[in-house]
Amino acid sequence: MSHLRAAWRCVLIFLHVLRGWWLVWRQIGDWTEEQQAQVVEGWSQRLLAIMGITVQVHGQLPAAGPLLLVSNHISWLDIPAIH
């Protein structure tokens, strides 16, 4: 059963990546920076959900002002998790 689930997730990831490619290639250039950021964040959240990964945030981000985010970049999963 786990092999079937893994295969299904691979299909969903492939389709999700194709959708992301389509958005970048055909649509994202017409959007504002805020809209682009929202789309990238939503796409990344959906990718993690398809893979069964949850992100846990500890602490509070500052309400305003500059922010420095540091990551040791352990794997490629850091990119959608940080988005």
Side-chain angles (χ1 to χ4, degrees), residues 6-73:
W8 178 242
R9 282 187 178 178
C10 286
V11 169
L12 291 177
I13 289 168
F14 178 75
L15 293 173
H16 189 66
V17 169
L18 281 180
R19 181 177 179 271
W21 176 79
W22 174 258
L23 288 173
V24 169
W25 185 56
R26 294 301 251 165
Q27 296 179 347
I28 206 163
D30 299 331
W31 299 336
T32 66
E33 276 189 46
E34 184 177 325
Q35 289 171 321
Q36 290 177 9
Q38 288 175 348
V39 168
V40 169
E41 182 179 338
W43 186 90
S44 295
Q45 287 175 348
R46 179 71 183 135
L47 177 65
L48 293 172
I50 290 170
M51 292 188 287
I53 297 171
T54 58
V55 176
Q56 295 180 354
V57 178
H58 299 276
Q60 294 289 324
L61 292 175
L67 173 69
L68 175 64
L69 180 63
V70 178
S71 171
N72 60 0
H73 200 53

